[in-house]
């Protein structure tokens, strides 16, 4: 059985590379490419593919609204999301939106083919990096209720600044500290929460209202 695939990504070189990979597989037929959410919707409606290989972080609305739209309008179409930055909460958001799998953009060709084929056949697929990120996020969430109370006022202030989109120099000026000291507090936040990226720390703060304290 052959599976009809649509590739959605704003980088033409990546789309061409993926098309080339799939062209070597008899059961994977690329029926179209799109570069953003609007063109993706139009193409999906026209071609009715079996699977959409979709970038999460496209300019504009991004990939998640497209996933939700597919689930609402063409539930039989499978969606495999691609991401450049692996982040536990992001992977969880992809799955909650209705994605059938998540892979990283640095996934080698053989694994990408395996992921597409698995999802097209009705299975689910997470790349090893996505799996590790989800496990780390779940472990972090298990102790989430205790973590805010364990943070010092200085750590909370740094966390609030991160959630508000400030850089470390701006946070240092606000707290009247040196950037090096702010970096030390950030390192303590990472150790206490298990969240390594600024995006993950910001989400941690926003979800608990710590950005408004």
């Amino acid at each position: 059985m052959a599976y009809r695939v649509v590739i959605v990504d704003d980088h033409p070189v990546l789309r061409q590379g993926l098309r080339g990979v799939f062209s070597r597989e008899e059961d994977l037929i690329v029926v179209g490419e799109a570069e953003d959410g609007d063109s993706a919707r139009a193409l999906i409606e026209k071609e009715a593919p079996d699977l959409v290989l979709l970038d999460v972080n496209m300019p504009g609305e991004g990939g998640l609204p497209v996933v939700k739209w597919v689930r609402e309008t063409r539930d039989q179409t499978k969606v495999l999301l691609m991401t450049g930055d692996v982040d536990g909460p992001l992977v969880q958001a992809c799955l909650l939106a209705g994605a059938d799998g998540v892979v990283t953009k640095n996934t080698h060709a053989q694994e990408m083919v395996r992921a597409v084929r698995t999802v097209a056949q009705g299975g689910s697929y997470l790349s090893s990096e996505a799996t590790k990120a989800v496990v780390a996020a779940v472990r972090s969430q298990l102790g989430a209720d205790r973590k805010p109370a364990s943070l010092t006022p200085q750590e909370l202030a740094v966390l609030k600044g991160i959630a508000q989109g400030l850089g470390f120099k701006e946070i240092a000026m606000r707290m009247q500290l040196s950037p090096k000291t702010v970096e030390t507090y950030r390192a303590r936040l990472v150790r206490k929460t298990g969240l390594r990226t600024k995006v993950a720390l910001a989400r941690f703060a926003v979800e608990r209202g710590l950005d408004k304290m």
Side-chain angles (χ1 to χ4, degrees), residues 54-57 81-87 90-91 94 102-107 127 130:
L54 174 67
D55 182 17
V56 176
N57 298 309
L81 286 174
M82 299 182 291
T83 177
D85 299 317
V86 183
D87 177 77
L90 174 60
V91 176
C94 292
V102 180
V103 294
T104 54
K105 289 189 175 182
N106 62 358
T107 297
S127 67

PDB file of all heavy atoms in Angstrom, residues 54-57 81-87 90-91 94 102-107 127 130:
ATOM      1  N   LEU A  54       4.735  17.994   9.253  1.00  0.00           N
ATOM      2  CA  LEU A  54       4.482  19.415   9.509  1.00  0.00           C
ATOM      3  C   LEU A  54       5.481  20.021  10.488  1.00  0.00           C
ATOM      4  O   LEU A  54       5.725  19.470  11.567  1.00  0.00           O
ATOM      5  CB  LEU A  54       3.053  19.553  10.054  1.00  0.00           C
ATOM      6  CG  LEU A  54       2.564  20.905  10.536  1.00  0.00           C
ATOM      7  CD1 LEU A  54       2.454  21.879   9.378  1.00  0.00           C
ATOM      8  CD2 LEU A  54       1.200  20.739  11.216  1.00  0.00           C
ATOM      9  N   ASP A  55       6.025  21.181  10.126  1.00  0.00           N
ATOM     10  CA  ASP A  55       6.934  21.924  11.005  1.00  0.00           C
ATOM     11  C   ASP A  55       6.135  22.599  12.126  1.00  0.00           C
ATOM     12  O   ASP A  55       5.101  23.216  11.876  1.00  0.00           O
ATOM     13  CB  ASP A  55       7.688  22.976  10.183  1.00  0.00           C
ATOM     14  CG  ASP A  55       8.693  23.757  11.016  1.00  0.00           C
ATOM     15  OD1 ASP A  55       9.043  23.310  12.118  1.00  0.00           O
ATOM     16  OD2 ASP A  55       9.131  24.821  10.561  1.00  0.00           O
ATOM     17  N   VAL A  56       6.625  22.487  13.351  1.00  0.00           N
ATOM     18  CA  VAL A  56       5.951  23.125  14.486  1.00  0.00           C
ATOM     19  C   VAL A  56       6.150  24.632  14.465  1.00  0.00           C
ATOM     20  O   VAL A  56       5.216  25.404  14.711  1.00  0.00           O
ATOM     21  CB  VAL A  56       6.476  22.563  15.821  1.00  0.00           C
ATOM     22  CG1 VAL A  56       5.840  23.291  16.999  1.00  0.00           C
ATOM     23  CG2 VAL A  56       6.206  21.073  15.922  1.00  0.00           C
ATOM     24  N   ASN A  57       7.359  25.074  14.156  1.00  0.00           N
ATOM     25  CA  ASN A  57       7.724  26.478  14.341  1.00  0.00           C
ATOM     26  C   ASN A  57       7.785  27.261  13.034  1.00  0.00           C
ATOM     27  O   ASN A  57       8.776  27.910  12.728  1.00  0.00           O
ATOM     28  CB  ASN A  57       9.080  26.561  15.059  1.00  0.00           C
ATOM     29  CG  ASN A  57       9.030  25.950  16.436  1.00  0.00           C
ATOM     30  OD1 ASN A  57       8.159  26.285  17.226  1.00  0.00           O
ATOM     31  ND2 ASN A  57       9.951  25.048  16.729  1.00  0.00           N
ATOM     32  N   LEU A  81       4.733  15.743  13.439  1.00  0.00           N
ATOM     33  CA  LEU A  81       5.312  17.073  13.609  1.00  0.00           C
ATOM     34  C   LEU A  81       6.829  17.020  13.672  1.00  0.00           C
ATOM     35  O   LEU A  81       7.408  16.094  14.248  1.00  0.00           O
ATOM     36  CB  LEU A  81       4.766  17.731  14.875  1.00  0.00           C
ATOM     37  CG  LEU A  81       3.318  18.237  14.796  1.00  0.00           C
ATOM     38  CD1 LEU A  81       2.859  18.735  16.151  1.00  0.00           C
ATOM     39  CD2 LEU A  81       3.189  19.337  13.761  1.00  0.00           C
ATOM     40  N   MET A  82       7.463  18.050  13.096  1.00  0.00           N
ATOM     41  CA  MET A  82       8.912  18.208  13.160  1.00  0.00           C
ATOM     42  C   MET A  82       9.249  19.441  14.000  1.00  0.00           C
ATOM     43  O   MET A  82       8.560  20.459  13.920  1.00  0.00           O
ATOM     44  CB  MET A  82       9.496  18.426  11.761  1.00  0.00           C
ATOM     45  CG  MET A  82       9.275  17.301  10.783  1.00  0.00           C
ATOM     46  SD  MET A  82      10.063  17.666   9.183  1.00  0.00           S
ATOM     47  CE  MET A  82       9.015  19.025   8.588  1.00  0.00           C
ATOM     48  N   THR A  83      10.302  19.336  14.798  1.00  0.00           N
ATOM     49  CA  THR A  83      10.746  20.484  15.582  1.00  0.00           C
ATOM     50  C   THR A  83      12.267  20.554  15.577  1.00  0.00           C
ATOM     51  O   THR A  83      12.940  19.526  15.571  1.00  0.00           O
ATOM     52  CB  THR A  83      10.229  20.415  17.030  1.00  0.00           C
ATOM     53  OG1 THR A  83      10.741  21.523  17.775  1.00  0.00           O
ATOM     54  CG2 THR A  83      10.641  19.116  17.715  1.00  0.00           C
ATOM     55  N   GLY A  84      12.778  21.767  15.573  1.00  0.00           N
ATOM     56  CA  GLY A  84      14.215  21.948  15.639  1.00  0.00           C
ATOM     57  C   GLY A  84      14.717  21.935  17.063  1.00  0.00           C
ATOM     58  O   GLY A  84      15.789  21.412  17.370  1.00  0.00           O
ATOM     59  N   ASP A  85      13.948  22.517  17.987  1.00  0.00           N
ATOM     60  CA  ASP A  85      14.318  22.584  19.396  1.00  0.00           C
ATOM     61  C   ASP A  85      13.457  21.609  20.188  1.00  0.00           C
ATOM     62  O   ASP A  85      12.232  21.703  20.181  1.00  0.00           O
ATOM     63  CB  ASP A  85      14.119  24.004  19.939  1.00  0.00           C
ATOM     64  CG  ASP A  85      14.974  25.016  19.209  1.00  0.00           C
ATOM     65  OD1 ASP A  85      16.154  24.709  18.955  1.00  0.00           O
ATOM     66  OD2 ASP A  85      14.483  26.104  18.888  1.00  0.00           O
ATOM     67  N   VAL A  86      14.108  20.674  20.874  1.00  0.00           N
ATOM     68  CA  VAL A  86      13.376  19.675  21.638  1.00  0.00           C
ATOM     69  C   VAL A  86      13.140  20.207  23.042  1.00  0.00           C
ATOM     70  O   VAL A  86      14.064  20.523  23.768  1.00  0.00           O
ATOM     71  CB  VAL A  86      14.159  18.350  21.715  1.00  0.00           C
ATOM     72  CG1 VAL A  86      13.345  17.295  22.451  1.00  0.00           C
ATOM     73  CG2 VAL A  86      14.490  17.862  20.331  1.00  0.00           C
ATOM     74  N   ASP A  87      11.872  20.305  23.405  1.00  0.00           N
ATOM     75  CA  ASP A  87      11.491  20.828  24.713  1.00  0.00           C
ATOM     76  C   ASP A  87      10.295  20.015  25.199  1.00  0.00           C
ATOM     77  O   ASP A  87       9.309  19.859  24.463  1.00  0.00           O
ATOM     78  CB  ASP A  87      11.143  22.309  24.583  1.00  0.00           C
ATOM     79  CG  ASP A  87      10.662  22.890  25.898  1.00  0.00           C
ATOM     80  OD1 ASP A  87      11.496  23.157  26.768  1.00  0.00           O
ATOM     81  OD2 ASP A  87       9.438  23.058  26.045  1.00  0.00           O
ATOM     82  N   LEU A  90       6.833  21.499  24.928  1.00  0.00           N
ATOM     83  CA  LEU A  90       6.444  21.649  23.526  1.00  0.00           C
ATOM     84  C   LEU A  90       5.983  20.312  22.954  1.00  0.00           C
ATOM     85  O   LEU A  90       4.963  20.241  22.262  1.00  0.00           O
ATOM     86  CB  LEU A  90       7.613  22.190  22.701  1.00  0.00           C
ATOM     87  CG  LEU A  90       7.371  22.268  21.183  1.00  0.00           C
ATOM     88  CD1 LEU A  90       6.197  23.186  20.869  1.00  0.00           C
ATOM     89  CD2 LEU A  90       8.625  22.729  20.460  1.00  0.00           C
ATOM     90  N   VAL A  91       6.714  19.244  23.238  1.00  0.00           N
ATOM     91  CA  VAL A  91       6.321  17.918  22.747  1.00  0.00           C
ATOM     92  C   VAL A  91       4.961  17.534  23.312  1.00  0.00           C
ATOM     93  O   VAL A  91       4.094  17.017  22.598  1.00  0.00           O
ATOM     94  CB  VAL A  91       7.376  16.859  23.111  1.00  0.00           C
ATOM     95  CG1 VAL A  91       6.915  15.467  22.675  1.00  0.00           C
ATOM     96  CG2 VAL A  91       8.717  17.187  22.454  1.00  0.00           C
ATOM     97  N   CYS A  94       2.302  19.342  21.473  1.00  0.00           N
ATOM     98  CA  CYS A  94       2.070  18.743  20.155  1.00  0.00           C
ATOM     99  C   CYS A  94       1.126  17.555  20.262  1.00  0.00           C
ATOM    100  O   CYS A  94       0.189  17.410  19.463  1.00  0.00           O
ATOM    101  CB  CYS A  94       3.400  18.286  19.547  1.00  0.00           C
ATOM    102  SG  CYS A  94       4.535  19.619  19.104  1.00  0.00           S
ATOM    103  N   VAL A 102       6.140  12.989  16.951  1.00  0.00           N
ATOM    104  CA  VAL A 102       7.040  14.152  16.934  1.00  0.00           C
ATOM    105  C   VAL A 102       8.453  13.660  16.641  1.00  0.00           C
ATOM    106  O   VAL A 102       8.932  12.714  17.283  1.00  0.00           O
ATOM    107  CB  VAL A 102       7.029  14.902  18.284  1.00  0.00           C
ATOM    108  CG1 VAL A 102       7.974  16.107  18.232  1.00  0.00           C
ATOM    109  CG2 VAL A 102       5.625  15.347  18.654  1.00  0.00           C
ATOM    110  N   VAL A 103       9.099  14.294  15.690  1.00  0.00           N
ATOM    111  CA  VAL A 103      10.493  13.989  15.375  1.00  0.00           C
ATOM    112  C   VAL A 103      11.285  15.285  15.330  1.00  0.00           C
ATOM    113  O   VAL A 103      10.721  16.365  15.132  1.00  0.00           O
ATOM    114  CB  VAL A 103      10.639  13.253  14.022  1.00  0.00           C
ATOM    115  CG1 VAL A 103      10.015  11.878  14.079  1.00  0.00           C
ATOM    116  CG2 VAL A 103      10.035  14.075  12.887  1.00  0.00           C
ATOM    117  N   THR A 104      12.584  15.179  15.506  1.00  0.00           N
ATOM    118  CA  THR A 104      13.446  16.348  15.401  1.00  0.00           C
ATOM    119  C   THR A 104      13.936  16.495  13.957  1.00  0.00           C
ATOM    120  O   THR A 104      14.004  15.520  13.209  1.00  0.00           O
ATOM    121  CB  THR A 104      14.662  16.224  16.340  1.00  0.00           C
ATOM    122  OG1 THR A 104      15.329  14.989  16.070  1.00  0.00           O
ATOM    123  CG2 THR A 104      14.223  16.259  17.790  1.00  0.00           C
ATOM    124  N   LYS A 105      14.275  17.722  13.595  1.00  0.00           N
ATOM    125  CA  LYS A 105      14.694  17.976  12.218  1.00  0.00           C
ATOM    126  C   LYS A 105      16.054  17.381  11.894  1.00  0.00           C
ATOM    127  O   LYS A 105      16.408  17.245  10.717  1.00  0.00           O
ATOM    128  CB  LYS A 105      14.697  19.479  11.937  1.00  0.00           C
ATOM    129  CG  LYS A 105      13.302  20.079  11.846  1.00  0.00           C
ATOM    130  CD  LYS A 105      13.349  21.506  11.348  1.00  0.00           C
ATOM    131  CE  LYS A 105      11.955  22.055  11.139  1.00  0.00           C
ATOM    132  NZ  LYS A 105      11.976  23.433  10.600  1.00  0.00           N
ATOM    133  N   ASN A 106      16.831  17.052  12.924  1.00  0.00           N
ATOM    134  CA  ASN A 106      18.130  16.424  12.657  1.00  0.00           C
ATOM    135  C   ASN A 106      18.031  14.907  12.595  1.00  0.00           C
ATOM    136  O   ASN A 106      19.040  14.208  12.563  1.00  0.00           O
ATOM    137  CB  ASN A 106      19.157  16.843  13.711  1.00  0.00           C
ATOM    138  CG  ASN A 106      18.773  16.393  15.119  1.00  0.00           C
ATOM    139  OD1 ASN A 106      17.716  15.795  15.324  1.00  0.00           O
ATOM    140  ND2 ASN A 106      19.626  16.668  16.082  1.00  0.00           N
ATOM    141  N   THR A 107      16.803  14.390  12.592  1.00  0.00           N
ATOM    142  CA  THR A 107      16.596  12.944  12.455  1.00  0.00           C
ATOM    143  C   THR A 107      17.179  12.458  11.128  1.00  0.00           C
ATOM    144  O   THR A 107      16.953  13.077  10.090  1.00  0.00           O
ATOM    145  CB  THR A 107      15.089  12.613  12.504  1.00  0.00           C
ATOM    146  OG1 THR A 107      14.576  12.995  13.782  1.00  0.00           O
ATOM    147  CG2 THR A 107      14.850  11.127  12.293  1.00  0.00           C
ATOM    148  N   SER A 127      10.676  10.551  18.407  1.00  0.00           N
ATOM    149  CA  SER A 127      12.112  10.350  18.269  1.00  0.00           C
ATOM    150  C   SER A 127      12.716  10.210  19.659  1.00  0.00           C
ATOM    151  O   SER A 127      12.099  10.569  20.671  1.00  0.00           O
ATOM    152  CB  SER A 127      12.756  11.527  17.536  1.00  0.00           C
ATOM    153  OG  SER A 127      12.671  12.703  18.330  1.00  0.00           O
ATOM    154  N   ALA A 130      12.774  13.475  21.563  1.00  0.00           N
ATOM    155  CA  ALA A 130      11.445  13.889  22.017  1.00  0.00           C
ATOM    156  C   ALA A 130      11.004  13.062  23.217  1.00  0.00           C
ATOM    157  O   ALA A 130      10.414  13.588  24.168  1.00  0.00           O
ATOM    158  CB  ALA A 130      10.436  13.752  20.880  1.00  0.00           C
TER     159      ALA A 130
END
